[in-house]
Amino acid sequence: MEMKNNLIRPVIRVAWLLVAFAVEFAFAGHDYGQALSKGILFYEAQRSGYLPGNQRVTWRSNSGLHDGKTSGVDLVGGYYDAGDNVKFGLPMAFTVTMMSWSIIEYGRQMASQGELGHALEAVKWGTDYFIKAHPEPYVLYGEVGDGNTDHYCWQRPEDMTTDRTAYRIDPSRPGSDLAGETAAAMAAASIVFRRYNPSYSNELLNHAYQLFEFADKYRGKYDSSIIVAQKYYHSVSGYDDELLWAAAWLYKATNNQYYLSYLANNADALGGTGWAMTEFGWDVKYAGVQVLVSKFLMQGKAGPYAPIFERYQQKAEFYMCSCLGKGSRNVQKTPGGLIFRQRWNNMQFVTSASFLLTAYSDYLSSAGKSVQCSSGYASPNELLSFAKSQVDYLLGDNPRATSYMVGYGSNYPQQVHHRASSIVSVKVNPSFVSCRGGYATWFSRKSNDPNVLVGAIVGGPDAYDNFADQRDNYEQTEPATYNNAPLLGVLARLGGGHSGYNQLFSDDLLLPAPAVAKQNPVPAVGKQNSAAEPEHTQNSAPAATSSDPIAIEQTATASWSYLDKTYHRFSTTVTNKSAKTLKDLKLNINKLYGPIWGLRELADANVYTFPTWLDSLPTGKSLEFVYIHVASQADVMISSYTLA
């Protein structure tokens, strides 16, 4: 990118969760599911390294295969940030954090639209790279390539002849903002993978622990250590916001009280309760921190820190009001109604605002609350409606009738400022494209890109809704990975609607049981004297004998109180004990009064089968599903199956 900023779980029961939801929008006019699919596909065009066999963007090929070699470390992989061939660590980490947050909040809607698997792959492509980039507890590689030499050339990634120096931070050259954001990314991703790949999730969490300690212990701005980043991703806000951001994500991932205390004890010193923001992005994280902490508060997790967390929430709601135009200091908007922050890649602020508005709207709906702005109240639906208006503008409902997502609609940018997209694919014409020759032959062409960069969200229009579709107009026609990441969650929400569960508990099933006081015991099926049962008692439903080919075990894993009700989380494991592959499984589940994740509901009442990502269970393997409700465990019975 040219100079940057100068400053599966779809099955739901809803009876217990309709907490003051207002009339849901009849979302129409745009195919949000198609936009979601394309928005995720864009990441495959940004991949660096060895491309996998299931690569869907087929005009790309392997690139950057010697990254890190001169430094004695393997840095092959990761993402190119935008239209260039540099791997910038700070925006890449923010991209992964926001993709993960999108999945945490709206993964069920992604699953229902068949995109959860692709979203998980997109996150893992980033976290696999971060594992490589963090070879020691206090060492993190934060950039590969040099923006100055890279921008001197116009080449496909597959032809790169530019400098590929790897730049790092360490105790003598600290970078708390970079290490903090990467810690946040790893912690958020660990939540995403906890049910799908527990060992990988634990690995990510261990890196997050180390990176946060590194960021907090050795404080400093990363671009004072990696000076070549200053021209492109200058850390204007410093590192205070990233320290809070990382702590918030580590608390969300672990329920460890240390991180909750960190948020409270450093609220003033690091600016979490002081900064009232009108922007959120790869540099300035305060609004995101404030929304996350507000969620902790509404979940009842603040404990003795509630008065401090209420001050975080005041700042979160300042941001919401400013976006709506109901605050004391409001964001600027174009005549067509688009949030406008700056002429250079303004769309990044549009997508990030849309996500925070959408998530906060759902938190408020679940809590039965609204926002008090200086110009009056704002309902949850008002927040969601405004977020939708921003997405609709992006997708084509604007004065130019232009879609700013490449490949969506009939009128979208055709001359994107993107090296790989603008040069013929190496698979079509393998002839070497030289550094300066690329400018002469391909950059200066006035015709459309030979490769359509499907799903890319470009910088967008100016303050007056004007847009020039020209390759050299990098302020408006260059895409970026962090433009797409927050939008994925919003598109999933708009396309899939509200799932009907309490959004404040949307990710609790992914978390370990809180390490707090012992919970009240949960009664087991068929036992009247539940008080005599120990916590986390395992029960079979129905009881299996050693000769049964399928074993079912239920475990109560957590309990908590909310709005004068006690909720229980149950984990149920189905194990194939036979010598054959289990197929066509149907389970009959009765006395279920809450949401369930990890199974797919069939048309018949109370009948469930394998989730969308699984069609069979090999011998000796297990399937786990989770549900939450206000009663004792549900009755889980085998209806039918085949062994093949």
Side-chain angles (χ1 to χ4, degrees), residues 78-79 92 96 121-131 200:
Y79 288 112
M92 193 193 307
V96 171
E121 289 175 358
V123 171
K124 193 172 186 295
W125 193 268
T127 51
D128 282 350
Y129 173 78
F130 291 140
I131 290 172
Y200 186 70

Side-chain angles (χ1 to χ4, degrees), residues 1-13:
M1 186 172 188
E2 309 313 316
M3 287 182 62
K4 307 299 194 279
N5 187 5
N6 287 335
L7 302 167
I8 346 173
R9 306 169 303 273
V11 185
I12 305 297
R13 292 282 188 182

Side-chain angles (χ1 to χ4, degrees), residues 58-77:
T58 56
W59 47 267
R60 279 294 323 283
S61 191
N62 300 336
S63 62
L65 303 184
H66 301 291
D67 284 356
K69 187 174 182 180
T70 57
S71 300
V73 62
D74 176 9
L75 295 176
V76 176

Side-chain angles (χ1 to χ4, degrees), residues 25-35 388-389 391-398 401 403 408-410 491 494-495:
F25 290 100
F27 296 124
H30 283 290
D31 188 341
Y32 300 113
Q34 180 191 124
K388 178 181 180 293
S389 75
V391 174
D392 288 347
Y393 183 110
L394 186 155
L395 295 178
D397 292 356
N398 55 65
S403 166
Y408 180 88
S410 58
L491 290 170
L494 295 179

Side-chain angles (χ1 to χ4, degrees), residues 165-450:
T165 298
Y167 300 89
R168 67 183 239 178
I169 56 173
D170 54 41
S172 64
R173 295 165 291 184
S176 301
D177 31 17
L178 173 63
E181 180 59 67
T182 311
M186 300 299 247
S190 77
I191 301 172
V192 167
F193 287 105
R194 183 155 293 140
R195 290 294 173 187
Y196 306 105
N197 193 337
S199 61
Y200 186 70
S201 171
N202 289 335
E203 183 179 10
L204 298 180
L205 199 53
N206 286 333
H207 282 279
Y209 288 137
Q210 293 177 358
L211 286 163
F212 179 77
E213 181 179 308
F214 177 26
D216 196 36
K217 184 175 182 179
Y218 298 100
R219 295 192 180 187
K221 285 178 57 176
Y222 95 102
D223 59 356
S224 296
S225 299
I226 303 178
I227 299 193
V228 293
Q230 287 183 358
K231 186 178 177 182
Y232 303 97
Y233 288 100
H234 179 37
S235 181
V236 176
S237 69
Y239 55 77
D240 289 354
D241 51 337
E242 276 87 6
L243 290 175
L244 294 172
W245 180 240
W249 278 109
L250 275 160
Y251 175 69
K252 192 173 181 65
T254 65
N255 276 348
N256 188 320
Q257 294 294 309
Y258 171 79
Y259 300 106
L260 195 73
S261 300
Y262 188 97
L263 289 165
N265 296 335
N266 294 280
D268 292 333
L270 297 181
T273 53
W275 285 102
M277 303 307 302
T278 59
E279 68 172 285
F280 172 57
W282 62 262
D283 181 25
V284 186
K285 315 291 166 47
Y286 282 116
V289 174
Q290 290 154 358
V291 168
L292 271 179
V293 174
S294 297
K295 184 176 186 180
F296 301 156
L297 179 67
M298 286 188 274
Q299 287 176 312
K301 294 181 176 181
Y305 307 123
I308 299 174
F309 284 15
E310 286 170 359
R311 292 167 56 208
Y312 274 102
Q313 186 174 33
Q314 290 170 4
K315 295 302 188 291
E317 297 193 347
F318 178 95
Y319 178 86
M320 303 300 156
C321 295
S322 73
C323 289
L324 295 176
K326 288 189 168 186
S328 58
R329 179 164 54 92
N330 297 319
V331 300
Q332 179 184 347
K333 296 186 180 74
T334 69
L338 186 72
I339 289 174
F340 188 81
R341 174 74 187 175
Q342 64 184 37
R343 61 189 178 89
W344 217 306
N345 188 18
N346 179 68
M347 206 60 81
Q348 62 178 304
F349 301 107
V350 175
T351 60
S352 60
S354 298
F355 179 86
L356 291 186
L357 286 157
T358 299
Y360 201 72
S361 166
D362 284 336
Y363 301 163
L364 290 172
S365 292
S366 294
K369 296 182 178 180
S370 59
V371 176
Q372 172 65 66
C373 299
S374 60
S375 298
Y377 284 98
S379 69
N381 268 354
E382 189 172 350
L383 271 65
L384 187 58
S385 179
F386 181 72
K388 178 181 180 293
S389 75
Q390 298 301 290
V391 174
D392 288 347
Y393 183 110
L394 186 155
L395 295 178
D397 292 356
N398 55 65
R400 291 182 50 86
T402 296
S403 166
Y404 295 106
M405 174 182 279
V406 177
Y408 180 88
S410 58
N411 182 27
Y412 53 82
Q414 303 281 349
Q415 296 185 32
V416 181
H417 185 89
H418 190 274
R419 285 158 175 77
S421 175
S422 66
I423 303 174
V424 66
S425 170
V426 69
K427 296 180 180 180
V428 174
N429 184 351
S431 299
F432 176 72
V433 176
S434 67
C435 169
R436 301 302 292 173
Y439 272 110
T441 305
W442 296 102
F443 178 80
S444 60
R445 290 171 76 241
K446 301 304 180 185
S447 55
N448 296 344
D449 295 333

